[in-house]
Amino acid sequence: MTRLWNEPADFADEMVAGFVAANERYVRRVTGGVVRSTVSPAGQVAVVVGGGSGHYPAFGGLVGQGLAHGAAMGNLFASPSAQQVYAVAKAADNGGGVFFCYGNYAGDVLNFDAAQERLRGEGIACETVTVTDDVVSASAEEKHRRRGIAGDLAVFRIAAAAAEAGYDLAEVARVARLANERTRSFGVAFTGCTLPGAEAPLFTVPEGRMAVGLGIHGEPGIDETGIPTADGLAELLVGRLLDEVPGGVTAAGARVVPILNGLGSLKYEEMFVVYRRIAQLLTDAGLEIIDPHVGEYCTSFDMAGTSLTLFWPDGADQNSELSDLWDTPVDTPAYRRGSVATAARADTSARTSLSARASSAPADATLEDVPPADEASRAIATTVLAAVQTIAETVDTHADELGRIDAIAGDGDHGIGMQRGSHAALAAARVAVDAGAGAGTTLAWAADAWSDKAGGTSGALWGVILNAIAAKLGDQGRPEATTVAAGVAAASRGVIDFGKAEVGDKTMVDALVPFSSTLAHAVDGGADLATAWRTAADAATRAATATSDLLPRMGRARTHGEHALGTPDPGAHSLALIATAVGELLTTEKEKADA
Ligand code: ADP
Ligand code: MG
């Protein structure tokens, strides 16, 4: 368990503050994470990594000379928001473009891709390679769908070494892709992990048992067995990885980098006993071990478990490019290899304005900060504020339930993620209304604050939903019911465009699409907004309930589809709860207005 915290909600932020205070030689804090505190050559490709927090040394601990230039650090187990990724990348950029590299998780992909689009729009070249090393998370034929675990380190190192060697952006991406092809991992766990302040672990492994193939956010394993001996575990790990030697590599005589990774509370001594047998097995298989790693490289809070990664630098052509790159010295807070020529400390005085910049809604906005709005739209803005408050209250009431549902096949963070997002949205909407903003601006500020503070998949998607509706509301006049319905339709299209899920994939799209079409139909039939909204919310509720029968095909839950049968999709369920509560609010407001 995690024993020490102040306010659980402040944990990630305070952790970053302390990490930076302890490592100023390597890193400095910027909005959304950290970048190197040392000077990088002008024109060097900037390698930006990232993901949720709780995986130290991933990701901030891997920023420094010879490794990452920056790390976007999301909340605990939640992907960083697009705004965070963007801000870190801007601060890390040396004029040679940005190379994004991170583990393949739906929430991270959505948010990093959104940041990448924004940077490209500003003329900053970007490339991305997601790490897909975990062999249990999809079949070899579908390697692109696999998630990333401790193999991140191998791919990050190759990409960063290439950047250090002066490769251009396309070439950095090429070798990173190759390194990812040549990296495979397999893990087990003996206990779950508990987030700060949580009453129960995210998942549990029965006493004396071992979960096989468990994810680093507590995504369920594929199997459970008795705990083997240390040698027995070594045989299991090596056996599975030698079953799937990367294409183009001939095992006999090949060189291999083994990385035995501790997940948080496994003793180094235990890992050394396991590694002793791993080294024997690899040698017996005719492999040449180079640069073995035994330690913690990607943890999962206080989870007791371990994973083995095998990185195969040489392909059939015996080209030594990757092994040469592997020799590049590295000096970061948590990881050192060889000796680097120490770079000068960066002069950060000119750059602090970026780190000091708040998210889109200033903490104390005034009339000058908001676009002009008329009286009617300002009146609607108070209804928007009331609606956002209703959303936050509804999420609070159901947070535990949403977390529980998400833990069945996902990672258990849907409740806390929605709380973070909706409360940030509420604070931003309040600032907007106090500053005299119209309905559109109020909702747009709420949208940006939601996606920025929530992170994760649902945070990004709720940002899309609220922004789409905000764009239709505008800051002038009282919107018609048809305008609101058009906003919801745009939101529905936006979520599908952005997340690429379709109806039937067991996501929030399953509730949003019928909500939108029922609303449009009722409004077109002449119903007032409150009545139409309630009818639509009922349709969303039925559709969300019906997701219990579906197998997930998107997001984190995809890997563990069968666990999710019989449970509704958390994102669809929360959307239906929110739609219902907002429907009640609109009815009350209408009754007040009619009276
Ligand atoms: P994360 O998956 O990052 O942990 P949350 O737990 O907050 O984020 O949200 C999970 C929900 O997000 C899912 O239940 C699903 O409704 C929704 N979701 C996941 N991926 C997609 C997608 N590609 N398109 C639409 N909705 C998605
Ligand atoms: Mg989740």
Side-chain angles (χ1 to χ4, degrees):
M1 64 186 276
T2 309
R3 295 172 186 83
L4 298 174
W5 62 87
N6 299 309
E7 269 305 310
D10 297 337
F11 189 93
D13 197 49
E14 295 181 351
M15 177 276 293
V16 178
F19 164 67
V20 172
N23 290 286
E24 286 178 343
R25 193 157 83 76
Y26 301 97
V27 294
R28 65 188 176 88
R29 191 167 192 179
V30 294
T31 302
V34 296
V35 297
R36 289 187 196 177
S37 60
T38 51
V39 178
S40 305
Q44 185 172 89
V45 172
V47 175
V48 173
V49 302
S53 292
H55 303 298
Y56 193 84
F59 296 90
L62 303 178
V63 173
Q65 283 184 260
L67 238 170
H69 293 77
M73 300 169 76
N75 222 301
L76 304 179
F77 286 3
S79 80
S81 65
Q83 290 96 322
Q84 286 183 295
V85 176
Y86 168 85
V88 170
K90 281 282 267 197
D93 182 27
N94 305 305
V98 176
F99 180 69
F100 288 115
C101 200
Y102 52 92
N104 183 38
Y105 294 92
D108 293 289
V109 173
L110 281 185
N111 286 295
F112 275 83
D113 276 356
Q116 172 168 275
E117 284 312 302
R118 190 169 160 200
L119 291 160
R120 283 180 176 160
E122 293 179 9
I124 298 176
C126 299
E127 289 295 332
T128 294
V129 171
T130 56
V131 182
T132 56
D133 56 313
D134 185 2
V135 297
V136 306
S137 53
S139 67
E141 293 70 49
E142 290 200 304
K143 185 175 191 291
H144 66 283
R145 295 193 139 205
R146 287 177 172 172
R147 61 195 176 201
I149 53 173
D152 281 355
L153 178 69
V155 185
F156 294 174
R157 266 196 72 181
I158 291 297
E164 206 71 34
Y167 284 36
D168 69 14
L169 185 57
E171 285 288 285
V172 169
R174 176 183 63 81
V175 289
R177 221 166 271 130
L178 186 58
N180 183 48
E181 283 307 314
R182 301 266 185 78
T183 305
R184 301 281 193 283
S185 304
F186 181 43
V188 300
F190 312 105
T191 70
C193 53
T194 310
L195 296 181
E199 274 164 21
L202 265 180
F203 62 95
T204 53
V205 182
E207 189 64 36
R209 304 285 289 172
M210 176 174 88
V212 178
L214 201 100
I216 56 169
H217 309 91
E219 302 96 326
I222 46 159
D223 197 9
E224 195 193 287
T225 66
I227 296 179
T229 59
D231 284 2
L233 178 60
E235 281 149 26
L236 176 76
L237 295 173
V238 171
R240 176 66 183 82
L241 292 180
L242 291 189
D243 268 353
E244 202 196 302
V245 173
V249 176
T250 316
R255 301 201 290 176
V256 70
V257 178
I259 302 175
L260 186 65
N261 175 56
L263 280 161
S265 51
L266 197 64
K267 287 287 293 171
Y268 272 67
E269 284 85 343
E270 290 172 278
M271 287 197 280
F272 287 133
V273 175
V274 175
Y275 182 71
R276 166 194 141 275
R277 182 68 185 138
I278 288 175
Q280 289 169 354
L281 291 165
L282 294 176
T283 309
D284 290 350
L287 305 176
E288 184 191 339
I289 297 172
I290 53 172
D291 194 16
H293 288 53
V294 178
E296 293 184 339
Y297 305 99
C298 181
T299 60
S300 183
F301 244 91
D302 55 333
M303 182 160 143
T306 182
S307 63
L308 178 65
T309 299
L310 293 184
F311 168 58
W312 308 79
D314 310 319
D317 51 3
Q318 296 306 316
N319 175 332
S320 68
E321 185 179 28
L322 296 193
S323 7
D324 294 345
L325 289 170
W326 192 259
D327 288 335
T328 305
V330 180
D331 191 27
T332 74
Y335 185 84
R336 271 148 236 166
R337 243 43 193 181
S339 36
V340 302
T342 313
R345 286 288 292 275
D347 169 16
T348 55
S349 50
R351 288 165 138 184
T352 40
S353 59
L354 187 77
S355 54
R357 205 176 60 198
S359 62
S360 37
D364 47 356
T366 61
L367 205 50
E368 286 91 75
D369 299 317
V370 299
D374 65 9
E375 204 51 48
S377 185
R378 273 189 226 160
I380 298 299
T382 62
T383 305
V384 168
L385 172 61
V388 177
Q389 173 143 15
T390 299
I391 293 175
E393 285 164 7
T394 306
V395 169
D396 285 347
T397 309
H398 296 276
D400 289 348
E401 177 197 358
L402 295 174
R404 252 194 333 273
I405 303 179
D406 189 32
I408 289 171
D411 55 357
D413 66 348
H414 189 57
I416 49 172
M418 291 289 286
Q419 279 184 300
R420 269 198 313 265
S422 58
H423 283 276
L426 178 57
R430 252 193 215 118
V431 172
V433 166
D434 288 349
T441 296
T442 300
L443 192 55
W445 283 17
D448 288 346
W450 188 316
S451 64
D452 186 16
K453 288 293 175 317
T457 315
S458 62
L461 295 173
W462 273 94
V464 169
I465 291 174
L466 300 185
N467 261 319
I469 300 172
K472 297 283 184 212
L473 293 184
D475 288 332
Q476 303 294 325
R478 194 190 156 82
E480 301 290 331
T482 47
T483 311
V484 177
V488 172
S492 175
R493 284 193 304 274
V495 166
I496 291 168
D497 264 9
F498 193 54
K500 311 275 181 284
E502 293 164 15
V503 169
D505 285 347
K506 193 163 184 151
T507 71
M508 65 158 76
V509 168
D510 290 320
L512 183 54
V513 165
F515 177 69
S516 169
S517 57
T518 309
L519 181 66
H521 187 73
V523 163
D524 288 346
D528 64 86
L529 181 62
T531 309
W533 190 289
R534 285 209 324 275
T535 314
D538 289 345
T541 304
R542 283 193 302 275
T545 307
T547 59
S548 295
D549 305 331
L550 297 173
L551 275 172
R553 291 197 290 254
M554 300 295 287
R556 285 191 203 294
R558 184 191 55 74
T559 319
H560 302 284
E562 65 291 359
H563 293 278
L565 269 184
T567 308
D569 172 64
H573 184 51
S574 59
L575 189 130
L577 291 170
I578 286 169
T580 303
V582 171
E584 283 159 16
L585 173 82
L586 293 175
T587 307
T588 316
E589 298 260 320
K590 180 172 171 354
E591 284 164 3
K592 268 197 265 167
D594 290 349

